[in-house]
Amino acid sequence: MKKHILILFILCATLQHIWAQTIERHTTFKNDSIYIDLINPFLAPIELNLSALDSTKSFIKVNSYGVLHHQDTLKNALTIPIQSVKDTAAIQISKFVSFKGTYGDPKSQIDYKYRYSLPYPRGKSYKIIQSFGGKFSHNKTHSRYAIDIGTQIGDTITAARPGTVVFVKQDSKEHCRTSKCADKGNKIIILHDDGSLAHYVHLDFEGSLVEVGDQVNDSQPIAISGMTGFTTTPHLHFVLFKAGSVSIPFKFKGQKRKRLKKGRHYKRVH
């Protein structure tokens, strides 16, 4: 029997927030117990951490950790005595375990020397409104190495590096000045061949030019810039992650400083 459950994935954008994503499960019944396997339907690897709740750890068994690539299975992620479940047709695993999932494989060898293309067309020039370590929102593990580029609604966003599109959100029209809108930001996530993941955030409603599974080339148009999510002005939030939703430093082609300078305009020439 294959069902779907909601697992909480930390897919960080401007501020840390949680996106509800669907992960598959397979349930079997044997020897008065229920065995639940978790299956990764995503094109990106996911790292899962599960732990029994204080109220359930005396009677359930948990396979607490796994790194699952596309279609991999965490066998016996949860084993529950049948008598502990009122309705076996509607098992809510959140009543038995806490769980966290993040994109990425911790064994990936990140290429920190890779030089990225600025994520907008050649000849265009934009102002950096927040750089690495920005006090407003780039001061956490998931955002320390992010940049905010002062694009306008309707501008074209391009891929900074070749990769595979693994996530697209483009159904939001909402934005506000507080973190309560963090999960309203439209975004695209692209997985690179070294395991790093690029997040392009605050895109326009229905502003994606690509779909999950697409292979994109360097500088290929992928989206239309917008103003969605937690933001006070139109811009593109660009950040790279390794496993664990940890932001990582990066440089663009032609960049001489360790980071782009807030308030300065950068014209794309490469």
Side-chain angles (χ1 to χ4, degrees):
M1 169 189 319
K2 183 177 287 188
K3 295 184 178 180
H4 292 81
I5 60 174
L6 291 181
I7 274 209
L8 301 179
F9 281 88
I10 299 175
L11 304 178
C12 303
T14 306
L15 288 181
Q16 185 173 19
H17 61 279
I18 296 176
W19 295 75
Q21 294 294 302
T22 303
I23 191 168
E24 294 177 355
R25 75 177 182 186
H26 181 265
T27 304
T28 57
F29 302 84
K30 183 179 179 182
N31 298 330
D32 296 326
S33 292
I34 304 169
Y35 299 86
I36 298 176
D37 301 334
L38 299 182
I39 306 163
N40 177 18
F42 306 113
L43 296 178
I46 57 175
E47 186 177 12
L48 293 178
N49 288 274
L50 299 91
S51 58
L53 303 178
D54 289 340
S55 59
T56 62
K57 62 184 178 182
S58 63
F59 61 88
I60 69 170
K61 293 181 180 179
V62 179
N63 186 359
S64 61
Y65 179 79
V67 176
L68 309 182
H69 289 258
H70 181 55
Q71 293 300 324
D72 282 351
T73 300
L74 182 62
K75 290 286 188 179
N76 299 332
L78 180 59
T79 304
I80 312 171
I82 288 180
Q83 66 266 26
S84 301
V85 178
K86 293 182 180 180
D87 183 359
T88 58
I91 303 171
Q92 298 182 39
I93 69 170
S94 61
K95 292 185 177 180
F96 298 91
V97 296
S98 62
F99 41 75
K100 182 179 74 173
T102 52
Y103 282 143
D105 183 345
K107 293 183 179 179
S108 294
Q109 300 296 314
I110 305 299
D111 181 4
Y112 291 97
K113 295 182 179 180
Y114 189 91
R115 289 294 184 118
Y116 292 79
S117 297
L118 284 163
Y120 45 85
R122 291 181 180 87
K124 291 287 187 178
S125 179
Y126 290 102
K127 181 180 178 180
I128 301 301
I129 59 177
Q130 191 174 191
S131 191
F132 291 177
K135 294 181 179 180
F136 178 68
S137 61
H138 294 180
N139 50 16
K140 305 292 184 181
T141 300
H142 65 270
S143 62
R144 182 167 293 114
Y145 297 109
I147 59 168
D148 289 345
I149 301 169
T151 53
Q152 296 301 308
I153 297 173
D155 288 349
T156 299
I157 303 303
T158 59
R161 179 176 179 174
T164 302
V165 179
V166 298
F167 180 88
V168 173
K169 175 179 170 57
Q170 59 174 340
D171 61 353
S172 176
K173 296 181 179 180
E174 299 180 55
H175 75 275
C176 67
R177 294 173 172 265
T178 68
S179 58
K180 71 178 183 179
C181 289
D183 63 349
K184 303 299 183 182
N186 294 325
K187 70 190 300 183
I188 290 172
I189 302 176
I190 295 178
L191 174 67
H192 306 136
D193 59 8
D194 65 348
S196 60
L197 296 121
H199 289 222
Y200 304 77
V201 191
H202 305 306
L203 307 176
D204 204 10
F205 171 68
E206 295 186 349
S208 177
L209 304 178
V210 294
E211 297 179 351
V212 171
D214 284 353
Q215 302 293 317
V216 299
N217 299 316
D218 185 2
S219 303
Q220 176 181 330
I222 59 170
I224 303 302
S225 183
M227 187 174 176
T228 56
F230 174 32
T231 178
T232 60
T233 186
H235 72 280
L236 172 71
H237 177 88
F238 178 79
V239 62
L240 291 173
F241 288 111
K242 64 179 181 180
S245 292
V246 176
S247 63
I248 57 177
F250 56 89
K251 284 187 176 181
F252 294 106
K253 296 173 183 176
Q255 180 180 337
K256 296 181 180 180
R257 296 173 175 266
K258 289 185 178 181
R259 63 179 181 178
L260 301 187
K261 188 175 181 180
K262 177 182 176 181
R264 180 175 174 180
H265 286 76
Y266 289 88
K267 182 177 181 180
R268 183 176 171 192
V269 295
H270 296 277

